[in-house]
Amino acid sequence: MPITPATATHTSSNGTADAILLELVDENGVTIGTAEKLSAHQPPGQLHRAFSVFLFDERGRLLIQQRALGKYHSPGVWSNTCCGHPYPGEAPFAAAARRTYEELGVSPSLLAEAGTVRYNHPDPASGLVEQEYNHLFVGLVQAELRPAPEEVAQTAFVSPAELAERHAADTFSAWFMTVLDAARPAVRELTGSSADW
């Protein structure tokens, strides 16, 4: 897998590694500065821009992923198709498409904005805090997945009923239900009433 800004620290012109920066925002989503990624997640957390992607197959099933065990934040838990943080100045739509490809090896055949949601979710396992202004996206995936093992442990396509069973039996990310519920109107528009989202 090629080394990208998402999979390695930046190297500056003087040869030292630069920290990955996130875009800090106010309650209206207006950029107010930047912060190093890990420090932004230290309690009590700094409000920063994020995105969440929900991709569906032709049968209206949601693609979920189990986060790789080596991830520093929420390792091994199940979550939505893809989530992450735009780099400062990067459009959330572009970041969502970029990270979906980097994590899952596939580009969505359709990707549409689905609103925003603001939340504050502490992660009890790591002690980190998700204090995020999250841009939501829904779309379709039709190509074969090629997940990056350092990002994704496994994937599954699930119906609403199958998701409910998994959610009751497995550990999901602290933010998962918040972002899914916020995206539901767009999900229903995309998948139709028969999919039962």
Side-chain angles (χ1 to χ4, degrees):
M1 179 174 149
I3 294 176
T4 69
T7 58
T9 57
H10 299 287
T11 302
S12 67
S13 58
N14 65 7
T16 60
D18 293 334
I20 293 176
L21 296 178
L22 305 186
E23 204 169 76
L24 300 180
V25 298
D26 65 15
E27 293 292 337
N28 298 311
V30 176
T31 303
I32 57 171
T34 60
E36 190 276 324
K37 184 176 180 180
L38 187 56
S39 70
H41 290 87
Q42 298 287 346
Q46 294 174 279
L47 184 60
H48 58 274
R49 196 176 308 284
F51 64 83
S52 290
V53 178
F54 297 86
L55 296 182
F56 295 82
D57 67 7
E58 67 282 350
R59 293 167 49 191
R61 298 180 304 168
L62 172 63
L63 173 60
I64 58 174
Q65 68 156 280
Q66 184 184 30
R67 293 164 61 86
L69 294 175
K71 292 182 83 74
Y72 80 95
H73 191 343
S74 302
V77 304
W78 286 89
S79 198
N80 48 293
T81 307
C82 179
C83 52
H85 310 94
Y87 293 116
E90 183 182 26
F93 184 93
R98 172 180 58 79
R99 281 303 287 160
T100 298
Y101 185 80
E102 289 173 348
E103 290 189 13
L104 296 162
V106 65
S107 294
S109 56
L110 171 74
L111 191 63
E113 294 182 10
T116 59
V117 63
R118 191 260 195 257
Y119 53 79
N120 179 0
H121 285 302
D123 176 39
S126 67
L128 299 174
V129 177
E130 287 291 3
Q131 183 91 249
E132 294 185 329
Y133 187 94
N134 196 308
H135 297 256
L136 308 171
F137 298 92
V138 299
L140 300 173
V141 61
Q142 294 172 305
E144 183 179 348
L145 303 176
R146 297 183 312 278
E150 66 274 16
E151 299 287 348
V152 180
Q154 56 182 315
T155 62
F157 283 96
V158 294
S159 68
E162 291 166 338
L163 178 61
E165 289 177 14
R166 277 183 180 263
H167 195 262
D170 294 325
T171 304
F172 276 70
S173 64
W175 62 86
F176 175 74
M177 286 309 299
T178 300
V179 293
L180 176 59
D181 287 344
R184 277 188 200 274
V187 168
R188 292 182 182 122
E189 187 174 331
L190 175 74
T191 60
S193 57
S194 61
D196 204 27
W197 287 102

